[in-house]
Amino acid sequence: MPIAALLLLLFAAQAAKIAAAAGPPSPDQVRHEFLARLNEARAAAGARPLSLAEPLNRVAQQNAEEVRDAGGVHYDEKSIPRIQQRLRKTGYVAHGWHQEFAAAPGDAGEVLAWVKSGLPETFHALLDPDYRELGVGVSDLRGSPLYTFFLAWRESESFARETAGLGDLERVRAEMLVRVNAERAAAGLPPLLRDARLDEAAQRHAEDMLVRSYYDHISPDGTSPKTRTLKSGYTGRIVGENIARGPVAVREVMDNWMGSTGHRHNLLLPGFTHLGIGVVVGRNAAMGDTVIWVQDFGSPAGP
């Protein structure tokens, strides 16, 4: 036998001995291997990669052990509150989550290949582009390796996705002005004009409410719409204000205001000629993740 071939055989034998001595891979190694294989499949499907999240690993592990102890998967609607409670205990605030199971021998690539061919719906769910994070539970079921795949995306991430379109403040203001003037035209009223001073007053009030965790026309130090617009340089004969929190789009907040008697009154008041618009996206202790909207209306004082 050639020396090179003999050395190769000796090397392979030594590698096998080392692998046997090392024992089976640890749960963390298994998790990272599944992550790598799943992300290869997600990339091929055009979906963003997942990342492992320790809170989800803990939930997935608890679920895997629960299935092992029960001798099978018995999840129904009554299981959902139990899983939600496990998530809350980890501190993970999920906007949405989904779980899949697989019981099959082999390494991560072999297990996922088996899932793809034998459980296509399960495999498709693992490629769902909505999810960004993954937890993997490692257990056994009647002598076969058992894996739970727990996918989720955080409430904060969902909020960021929903509000991504609000990053361009000037575009948002222009869109709102169009909608406001469409409502006024439908009521037979003249359009409003944007005023930079009212924009400034509205924006400062929106930001102040977010920073100081309040929601009111009157600030904690007693400033009112009238005093705020005066401070911005707008001397108004009449001034009005609409505020809202929560909606993530111009259409949504305008629908809400038009459905409210007081807000609708401001939007359709014939005496108003100018409009200022403020919007801020953020988080505070009182409201959590939120969007705050402000409209300041005015009609300038005469000579």
Side-chain angles (χ1 to χ4, degrees):
M1 178 181 292
I3 294 176
L6 180 60
L7 288 174
L8 184 61
L9 287 174
L10 290 172
F11 178 80
Q14 184 65 22
K17 288 181 181 179
I18 293 172
S26 70
D28 277 345
Q29 290 174 317
V30 171
R31 292 183 176 107
H32 281 91
E33 184 61 21
F34 272 118
L35 178 70
R37 300 287 79 78
L38 277 173
N39 280 340
E40 289 174 2
R42 288 172 69 89
R48 292 183 182 180
L50 296 166
S51 59
L52 284 173
E54 186 52 36
L56 301 186
N57 281 335
R58 295 203 296 270
V59 173
Q61 187 62 35
Q62 287 178 293
N63 295 347
E65 293 170 3
E66 184 177 69
V67 170
R68 177 200 62 200
D69 295 343
V73 179
H74 301 291
Y75 278 96
D76 53 25
E77 291 184 0
K78 295 180 181 178
S79 306
I80 294 175
R82 186 166 66 252
I83 295 174
Q84 297 279 35
Q85 184 179 30
R86 288 172 183 167
L87 271 173
R88 284 194 295 271
K89 284 184 178 179
T90 68
Y92 190 105
V93 182
H95 179 78
W97 56 267
H98 183 79
Q99 182 169 235
E100 294 289 349
F101 299 86
D107 61 24
E110 292 168 331
V111 171
L112 290 176
W114 175 81
V115 171
K116 183 178 181 179
S117 61
L119 300 171
E121 291 185 2
T122 293
F123 188 77
H124 181 72
L126 296 175
L127 306 185
D128 190 324
D130 277 341
Y131 297 105
R132 294 288 186 269
E133 293 183 299
L134 172 71
V136 180
V138 182
S139 186
D140 62 272
L141 180 63
R142 302 191 186 100
S144 177
L146 169 71
Y147 306 101
T148 59
F149 304 98
F150 198 92
L151 301 103
W153 75 90
R154 297 175 191 264
E155 186 64 50
S156 57
E157 183 191 349
S158 174
F159 176 74
R161 291 189 218 174
E162 291 176 339
T163 58
L166 300 180
D168 186 343
L169 181 57
E170 188 56 34
R171 185 195 61 78
V172 173
R173 284 170 167 164
E175 182 183 345
M176 179 168 282
L177 182 66
V178 169
R179 173 65 188 275
V180 168
N181 284 336
E183 297 291 354
R184 288 178 67 86
L189 297 170
L192 299 179
L193 300 174
R194 281 264 309 281
D195 187 283
R197 296 164 296 180
L198 293 181
D199 279 344
E200 179 185 348
Q203 187 65 27
R204 285 185 176 178
H205 186 45
E207 293 171 357
D208 188 53
M209 285 191 285
L210 180 71
V211 170
R212 294 204 278 175
S213 297
Y214 73 97
Y215 179 69
D216 204 314
H217 294 288
I218 306 300
S219 70
D221 53 6
T223 63
S224 67
K226 183 77 170 181
T227 55
R228 287 191 293 271
T229 54
L230 281 171
K231 185 177 180 180
S232 70
Y234 187 93
T235 303
R237 177 173 55 85
I238 54 173
V239 171
E241 185 175 80
N242 285 343
I243 61 175
R245 62 180 175 184
V248 297
V250 168
R251 174 193 52 77
E252 184 183 0
V253 70
M254 281 296 299
D255 286 348
N256 290 352
W257 278 332
M258 289 301 294
S260 164
T261 301
H263 298 98
R264 182 187 179 92
H265 172 80
N266 280 339
L267 284 158
L268 302 182
L269 189 71
F272 286 141
T273 57
H274 293 112
L275 174 67
I277 299 160
V279 58
V280 64
V281 179
R283 180 180 181 82
N284 64 32
M287 294 175 266
D289 292 323
T290 193
V291 182
I292 299 178
W293 304 81
V294 178
Q295 289 179 327
D296 278 338
F297 302 87
S299 181

